[in-house]
């Protein structure tokens, strides 16, 4: 049970009831009363003293203040509304206001705030509109500022876009006027309190047991792997899964824009980028972190997402003894991933001939794994492709596993099957050199796994 769930239950209201209230049972009169109580508390309480108290003590003090204000004003509220007002004020003072119930709901994977009056969530791969609202755009701005300030970021008219993370690791992106025309926009990618395991992905039919055996073997044999996919396709989730196969005695350096990876090994060094300050100074880029990581004697380098010129430094690292490195990239197909990687290498400021760039990529990378989010909301590992070399100026690839779509059922779910292509990968010899022997039946194309 998460901390938010525990707090709601301690307050005497079950989480489902609380979420139901967030999804539409609060009236305009109730919202106005909550706003008045919140404003009264701000006027009466020294916020500096509250910050010196323990969280549980602050919650008790706020609960007593709400009860006192309700008695003073002789407000006609029932017991359920009274308890809800206490929670609302606590959320506003200590948390993220109207978003707290959604953050406490384990079924919500994404929270998308389109200005103050429209809040969407994603459940089971599908978007749905909730009836959660903010009082106005100024109220939403206060929540956004609270989120980003807690991790040392800022957002204002001169810097209207920001990436940040919540204390639980959830990824936050906000953009405000003048860049956002209709009002502040907020996107929260939820962070799994309990990381998904390989077995979870198999049960969700994201991949098969046979594919898992191959992925585990590739990581243990220190192949350099690039995970490709679109937004929300599960790249980071798969990266977490693959990183779990790294032996515990290896030194791992992770580099991310916003720290999301949940490494289970002990010897992990986590690095994170930093944007420039208000004077435009102090920026720490992924490229700088990759260069620094090479001086930290890493056994593995894990790059959360390749975005720009750091692609060249990553390839250099892979080509100079840092085997077994992992990275993700935004692309719709494995071939597109390599094209994007070429474009990013060119962003490093070196005018390398096309053939030279592709030779760098070919010698550095061994496997591209493609993941996709399908139209029914499900995530699938669509393809595992090996980079086999070059023919002229073209990078050659061969597919080892694939997911083939066949049909859509009455409920809109995509039907298809996973299967091997019958190709035995060239890196099989490397697997054997590491003492890993996979059965030849693993590559049998006649074995199909229907989903």
């Amino acid at each position: 049970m998460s901390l938010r769930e525990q707090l709601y239950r301690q307050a005497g209201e079950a989480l489902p009831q609380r979420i139901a209230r967030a999804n539409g049972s609060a009236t305009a009169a109730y919202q106005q009363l909550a706003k008045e109580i919140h404003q009264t508390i701000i006027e009466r309480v020294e916020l500096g003293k509250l910050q010196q108290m323990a969280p549980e003590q602050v919650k008790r003090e706020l609960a007593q203040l709400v009860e006192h204000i309700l008695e003073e004003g002789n407000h006609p509220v029932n017991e359920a509304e009274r308890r809800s007002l206490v929670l609302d004020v606590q959320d506003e003072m200590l948390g993220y206001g109207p978003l707290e119930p959604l953050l406490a709901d384990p079924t919500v994977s994404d929270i998308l705030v389109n200005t103050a009056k429209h809040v969407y969530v994603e459940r089971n791969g599908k978007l749905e509109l909730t009836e959660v609202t903010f009082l106005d755009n100024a109220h939403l701005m206060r929540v956004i500022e609270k989120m980003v300030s807690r991790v040392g970021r800022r957002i204002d008219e001169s810097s209207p876009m920001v990436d940040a993370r919540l204390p639980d690791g959830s990824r936050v992106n906000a953009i405000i006027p003048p860049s956002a025309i209709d009002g502040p926009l907020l996107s929260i990618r939820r962070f799994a309190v309990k990381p998904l395991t390989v077995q979870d992905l198999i049960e969700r039919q994201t991949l098969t047991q046979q594919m898992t055996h191959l992925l585990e073997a590739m990581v243990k044999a220190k192949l350099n792997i690039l995970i490709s996919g679109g937004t929300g396709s599960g790249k980071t989730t798969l990266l977490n899964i693959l990183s779990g196969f790294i032996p515990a005695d290896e030194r791992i350096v992770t580099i991310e824009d916003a720290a999301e990876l949940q490494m289970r090994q002990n010897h992990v060094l986590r690095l994170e980028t930093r944007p420039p300050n208000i004077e435009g100074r102090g920026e720490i880029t992924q490229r700088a972190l990759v260069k620094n990581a090479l001086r930290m004697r890493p056994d593995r380098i894990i790059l959360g997402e390749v975005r720009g010129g750091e692609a060249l430094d990553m390839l250099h690292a892979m080509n100079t003894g840092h085997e077994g490195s992992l990275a993700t990239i935004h692309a719709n197909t494995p071939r597109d991933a390599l094209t994007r990687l070429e474009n990013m290498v060119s962003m490093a400021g070196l005018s390398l001939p096309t053939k030279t760039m592709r030779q760098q990529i070919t010698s550095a990378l061994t496997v591209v794994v493609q993941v996709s989010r399908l139209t029914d909301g499900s995530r699938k590992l669509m393809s595992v492709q090996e980079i086999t070399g070059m023919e002229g100026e073209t990078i050659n690839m061969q597919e080892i596993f694939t997911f083939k779509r066949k049909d859509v059922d009455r409920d809109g779910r995509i039907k298809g099957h996973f299967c091997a292509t019958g190709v035995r990968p060239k890196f099989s010899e490397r697997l054997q050199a590491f003492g890993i022997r996979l059965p030849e039946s693993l590559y049998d194309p006649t074995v199909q796994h229907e989903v």
Side-chain angles (χ1 to χ4, degrees):
M1 186 185 298
S2 70
L3 178 60
R4 284 186 172 88
E5 292 178 61
Q6 293 174 21
L7 293 175
Y8 286 136
R9 295 188 193 281
Q10 289 169 6
E13 185 170 6
L15 181 62
Q17 295 172 320
R18 176 69 173 153
I19 292 169
R21 176 172 292 280
N23 283 335
S25 57
T27 63
Y30 173 91
Q31 289 182 331
Q32 183 60 34
L33 177 57
K35 180 181 179 181
E36 291 175 3
I37 292 174
H38 180 218
Q39 188 60 41
T40 302
I41 290 175
I42 290 175
E43 293 171 355
R44 294 186 183 183
V45 175
E46 292 185 31
L47 297 181
K49 288 185 177 180
L50 283 182
Q51 293 173 352
Q52 298 172 5
M53 298 180 185
E56 288 305 316
Q57 184 181 358
V58 174
K59 288 180 178 294
R60 287 195 297 272
E61 293 287 339
L62 290 174
Q64 292 172 5
L65 275 170
V66 172
E67 295 286 353
H68 183 65
I69 293 169
L70 287 174
E71 290 176 4
E72 275 186 350
N74 196 27
H75 296 288
V77 294
N78 58 39
E79 189 59 30
E81 290 175 327
R82 188 180 295 267
R83 288 198 303 269
S84 189
L85 280 167
V86 169
L87 284 172
D88 282 343
V89 171
Q90 290 174 341
D91 288 346
E92 200 64 50
M93 298 291 288
L94 302 175
Y96 303 119
L99 297 180
E100 282 294 317
L102 299 179
L103 291 168
D105 185 349
T107 67
V108 172
S109 57
D110 287 277
I111 302 171
L112 309 172
V113 183
N114 302 350
T115 71
K117 300 304 180 184
H118 301 95
V119 178
Y120 290 81
V121 298
E122 180 186 290
R123 287 188 176 94
N124 301 317
K126 294 291 186 180
L127 286 178
E128 57 186 68
L129 177 64
T130 71
E131 295 189 29
V132 173
T133 60
F134 292 79
L135 294 172
D136 47 36
N137 283 336
H139 183 200
L140 174 55
M141 272 300 303
R142 288 196 297 272
V143 171
I144 291 174
E145 288 168 352
K146 184 184 290 187
M147 284 182 175
V148 302
S149 64
R150 287 182 175 178
V151 290
R153 306 274 170 113
R154 67 183 181 89
I155 187 166
D156 52 39
E157 286 189 3
S158 63
S159 180
M161 296 179 289
V162 70
D163 284 309
R165 69 178 189 275
L166 301 184
D168 68 358
S170 296
R171 188 192 312 171
V172 175
N173 174 269
I175 180 166
I176 65 172
S179 295
I181 297 172
D182 298 318
L185 306 174
L186 175 67
S187 305
I188 302 175
R189 175 69 55 84
R190 294 293 306 283
F191 188 82
V193 177
K194 181 182 177 183
L196 290 176
T197 64
V198 172
Q199 196 56 42
D200 292 327
L201 297 191
I202 293 172
E203 291 174 359
R204 297 181 183 199
Q205 299 181 324
T206 299
L207 44 68
T208 66
Q209 188 71 59
Q210 287 72 17
M211 297 167 80
T212 299
H213 291 324
L214 181 63
L215 293 173
E216 181 176 1
M218 292 190 307
V219 173
K220 290 184 175 178
K222 291 193 168 186
L223 302 184
N224 293 321
I225 302 171
L226 183 66
I227 301 172
S228 167
T231 301
S233 59
K235 298 187 299 298
T236 303
T237 298
L238 184 59
L239 185 60
N240 262 321
I241 297 292
L242 296 187
S243 67
F245 297 137
I246 298 174
D249 60 350
E250 295 192 18
R251 178 177 172 89
I252 305 167
V253 177
T254 68
I255 300 169
E256 301 174 86
D257 270 339
E260 295 178 89
L261 292 173
Q262 297 166 285
M263 306 294 292
R264 293 182 286 278
Q265 294 86 347
N266 292 324
H267 201 163
V268 178
L269 311 173
R270 305 170 71 207
L271 307 181
E272 186 179 51
T273 61
R274 187 178 72 183
N277 60 20
I278 196 168
E279 289 87 19
R281 299 175 181 174
E283 181 181 17
I284 300 176
T285 65
Q286 280 201 136
R287 189 171 189 191
L289 292 178
V290 172
K291 289 179 178 178
N292 190 79
L294 299 177
R295 306 185 186 102
M296 299 171 69
R297 195 258 174 225
D299 290 310
R300 310 259 186 162
I301 297 175
I302 299 179
L303 191 56
E305 184 179 338
V306 185
R307 295 177 181 270
E310 68 274 3
L312 179 63
D313 302 285
M314 180 193 74
L315 295 177
H316 283 166
M318 291 177 173
N319 278 320
T320 54
H322 298 90
E323 298 175 317
S325 296
L326 305 171
T328 72
I329 191 169
H330 266 85
N332 293 326
T333 67
R335 182 64 64 180
D336 287 347
L338 299 186
T339 302
R340 286 209 69 212
L341 203 55
E342 280 185 49
N343 294 335
M344 291 175 185
V345 168
S346 65
M347 293 168 64
L350 296 178
S351 299
L352 296 176
T354 300
K355 187 173 182 178
T356 302
M357 271 196 291
R358 292 177 182 174
Q359 286 173 337
Q360 284 264 15
I361 292 170
T362 302
S363 59
L365 290 174
T366 309
V367 176
V368 180
V369 178
Q370 182 71 37
V371 290
S372 294
R373 176 182 170 181
L374 305 183
T375 52
D376 61 356
S378 65
R379 276 86 170 176
K380 293 283 187 287
L381 199 161
M382 302 296 292
S383 180
V384 178
Q385 297 202 22
E386 178 186 23
I387 297 174
T388 58
M390 288 188 64
E391 186 175 326
E393 292 193 0
T394 303
I395 297 175
N396 288 337
M397 305 176 75
Q398 61 182 14
E399 192 167 45
I400 303 167
F401 276 98
T402 186
F403 174 74
K404 295 183 178 179
R405 286 182 275 195
K406 293 193 298 186
D407 200 0
V408 179
D409 66 15
R410 292 180 178 178
D411 298 323
R413 290 192 295 268
I414 291 176
K415 310 301 289 183
H417 66 263
F418 293 101
C419 66
T421 61
V423 174
R424 188 176 186 271
K426 286 187 174 182
F427 59 72
S428 295
E429 293 179 2
R430 184 180 176 89
L431 300 186
Q432 291 179 7
F434 276 78
I436 302 168
R437 289 174 174 80
L438 298 176
E440 289 297 325
S441 59
L442 190 75
Y443 309 114
D444 185 354
T446 63
V447 179
Q448 300 181 354
H449 300 269
E450 301 288 337
V451 295

